[in-house]
Amino acid sequence: DIQMTQSPSTLSASVGDRVTITCRASQSISSWLAWYQQKPGKAPKLLVYKASSLENGVPSRFSGSGSGTEFTLTISSLQPDDFATYYCQQYHTYPLTFGGGTTVEIK
Amino acid sequence: EVQLVESGGGLIQPGGSLRLSCAASGFIVNTNYMSWVRQAPGKGLEWVSVIQSGGSTYYADSVKGRFTISRDDSKNTLYLQMNSVRAEDTAVYYCARGKADNWYDPWGQGTLVTVSS
């Protein structure tokens, strides 16, 4: 199975900060990576697919990059609505696997 | 509007069976990949199973041989038959639509399955 490792697991930041979350795959997954945002008690929401393609309706302050084994999700200017948990997911190979999540907290 | 609504969760004893349903509206289930993903209380996301548009199915090792994914085209509904359940199957179960491949949007609101005696 492909292991997905996110860092950090928790991140404290302020409104307006630039935030970067890293996701590493245990083997190359090309660009077959998605990012999701999840708020407490809610279902995940797709943000990015194919590593860097922004889903329709997602604010442009979100961006994804990377290929192979290392990927990043960047929020250029953190907004109050962005405090949530973020997950990466590989879809190169079954079983599909998720990272452990990164919780973005208010500093 | 594209929407998914899960049902069928509840309290079940270890070793028992349960069937989850996911009713879809706004799109045709059998033209998309459809997955079940679960989330244990306070934990991260764990993929459970997928049924591809062509009907092929895949499972996580943790549920293989115990869970079965299926769909009813006449009802535009996805199912997850859960047999021989264990305490570690306790989770919120989400269904989700694959967009062109195995990235998912939208997701349903989730249904809670609690396995306990």
Side-chain angles (χ1 to χ4, degrees), chain A residues 36 38 43 55 89 91 94, chain B residues 39 52 99 102-104 108:
Chain A
Y36 301 88
Q38 187 181 34
E55 172 69 353
Q89 176 230 323
Y91 51 95
Y94 292 120
Chain B
Q39 187 168 36
Q52 297 183 347
K99 297 195 74 176
N102 274 309
W103 66 88
Y104 289 89

Side-chain angles (χ1 to χ4, degrees), chain B residues 18-80:
Chain B
L18 197 64
R19 189 178 79 161
L20 306 182
S21 300
C22 170
S25 56
F27 73 101
I28 307 299
V29 163
N30 68 13
T31 63
N32 291 264
Y33 287 18
M34 296 292 299
S35 268
W36 288 97
V37 177
R38 68 185 180 183
Q39 187 168 36
K43 302 297 184 182
L45 301 171
E46 180 189 16
W47 174 78
V48 172
S49 181
V50 65
I51 182 166
Q52 297 183 347
S53 50
S56 297
T57 59
Y58 298 87
Y59 298 91
D61 285 346
S62 57
V63 306
K64 200 173 295 182
R66 300 188 299 123
F67 290 9
T68 302
I69 191 171
S70 64
R71 66 191 182 206
D72 184 329
D73 296 345
S74 67
K75 295 182 178 180
N76 208 35
T77 298
L78 178 73
Y79 299 102
L80 185 68

Side-chain angles (χ1 to χ4, degrees), chain B residues 3-22:
Chain B
Q3 193 173 14
L4 297 167
V5 178
E6 300 99 335
S7 60
L11 176 63
I12 183 169
Q13 292 189 338
S17 297
L18 197 64
R19 189 178 79 161
L20 306 182
S21 300
C22 170

Side-chain angles (χ1 to χ4, degrees), chain A residues 11 13 16 31-32 34 39 41 43-44 48 52 55 58 66 68 76 87 91 93 99-101 105:
Chain A
L11 188 161
S31 296
W32 303 121
K39 296 182 179 179
V48 171
S52 61
E55 172 69 353
V58 174
S76 60
Y87 294 93
Y91 51 95
T93 307
E105 299 180 333

Side-chain angles (χ1 to χ4, degrees), chain A residues 6-7 10-11 24 26 52 59 61 63 67-68 70 73 75 80 90 102-103:
Chain A
Q6 283 183 240
S7 60
T10 307
L11 188 161
R24 290 186 174 88
S26 60
S52 61
R61 63 181 180 273
S63 64
S67 66
E70 189 142 340
L73 176 72
I75 310 173
Q90 68 80 19
T102 296
T103 299

